Amino acid sequence: MVSTLLTPRGRARQAVASGRGACGGTAPTRILDWGHPRVRSAVRSIGTAAEDGEGPAAKVAALRRAHRWISAGVRAVYSVEEARPVSQVLRLGRGSCSQRMAVLEAVARAWGIPSRVRGLVVDGAFWYPRFPRLRRLVPDQVVLAWPEFRVDGLSEADHAAAPWLAVSELFAGAGEPRGWAGGGFTNAGPETLFEALSRTSVDWDKAMACPASDGSCDLSAYLLTDLGHFDSRDDLFAQHGQTLCGPARFLAEPVLGRRAAGL
């Protein structure tokens, strides 16, 4: 199939035993280049983590503030260059869900909040609703770097992976019950996965409570492989490659990198 030909060769994307350790960190990386003047300027615009007070709740509130700033300031597009440095994403003013999550990680690290990623291999069919006429060109597997943030003091009763907070839990308990109003994330229309985090549950493990009448927050059926945890998204992509091979990214980026999500 065409979708298979677009993906990197020679990559053994195999599941790992649960609980694989990764300490994460706050150091800048090639992708999370928070030392770059452009990234530092963005961090100053967002403010400091201390603005919301002290303790774990304040750190979570600060990350939510950063998420809202990124949602408003970085336009959602279908870029396929997942290893693009955060400074370049901010220069362009647009990015994919993966790239905007990287911006959130870079801000967190600049604040001294460690981050790591969980590597997920997701069925390409999850993206079919966005490309109904181009399904044969959708990769059969999509490598997703799912961020986690270390928030010391996080309640283990409320967060099983404490002190690590998955980005899917960032807005848990904030405002209306998530997953009810407007249903779960359908991956169709203008809303992207990044924006959906603030409105509804995004569950890759069938572990969150979904509304009885609508299980669309449960995305576990699309998870093909759990690659475990990595200290950074740089490490994940170095070991398992990006979703598309280099030639496919070269051809697709000029078009998809400018196409607004939902169009």
Side-chain angles (χ1 to χ4, degrees):
M1 297 212 25
V2 175
S3 58
T4 302
L5 296 176
L6 296 176
T7 56
R9 294 296 181 184
R11 300 283 184 174
R13 293 170 177 168
Q14 299 177 347
V16 300
S18 60
R20 172 182 171 180
C23 298
T26 59
T29 68
R30 178 188 173 277
I31 299 175
L32 308 176
D33 59 342
W34 62 260
H36 191 283
R38 190 175 293 111
V39 184
R40 286 186 175 276
S41 176
V43 173
R44 286 194 296 271
S45 297
I46 297 169
T48 67
E51 288 182 15
D52 296 284
E54 298 180 357
K59 289 183 178 180
V60 173
L63 290 170
R64 291 171 181 165
R65 174 158 44 87
H67 179 278
R68 289 189 289 268
W69 186 93
I70 297 165
S71 294
V74 183
R75 183 166 60 93
V77 296
Y78 294 120
S79 176
V80 295
E81 288 290 355
E82 295 156 296
R84 176 171 288 159
V86 166
S87 60
Q88 293 184 22
V89 175
L90 293 174
R91 176 179 61 82
L92 295 171
R94 60 179 184 266
S96 65
C97 283
S98 178
Q99 291 167 347
R100 290 188 293 160
M101 287 185 186
V103 176
L104 182 60
E105 281 190 79
V107 173
R109 289 189 173 214
W111 280 341
I113 300 175
S115 75
R116 67 181 186 182
V117 297
R118 180 182 174 196
L120 305 177
V121 180
V122 180
D123 191 334
F126 179 57
W127 279 267
Y128 282 175
R130 293 199 178 273
F131 304 97
R133 298 179 181 178
L134 299 173
R135 289 188 177 186
R136 286 184 59 83
L137 296 179
V138 175
D140 58 339
Q141 296 182 356
V142 174
V143 179
L144 189 60
W146 200 245
E148 297 181 356
F149 306 93
R150 185 180 178 96
V151 181
D152 292 324
L154 203 64
S155 170
E156 294 184 6
D158 297 328
H159 304 282
W164 289 100
L165 177 72
V167 71
S168 50
E169 297 183 71
L170 183 57
F171 286 88
E176 295 299 319
R178 302 159 72 237
W180 288 81
F185 179 65
T186 60
N187 210 5
E191 182 182 59
T192 71
L193 189 58
F194 186 81
E195 277 79 25
L197 294 171
S198 65
R199 180 188 63 80
T200 187
S201 299
V202 176
D203 181 13
W204 299 108
D205 300 299
K206 206 170 185 177
M208 297 180 182
C210 292
S213 60
D214 181 6
S216 55
C217 71
D218 176 14
L219 304 180
S220 60
Y222 294 102
L223 180 60
L224 301 177
T225 308
D226 184 345
L227 299 173
H229 291 92
F230 298 80
D231 289 327
S232 71
R233 61 183 52 232
D234 303 60
D235 293 345
L236 168 64
F237 294 140
Q239 182 170 338
H240 294 284
Q242 298 180 53
T243 294
L244 296 180
C245 62
R249 297 198 305 273
F250 178 79
L251 294 173
E253 181 63 22
V255 177
L256 296 179
R258 295 178 179 273
R259 182 180 176 185
L263 299 179

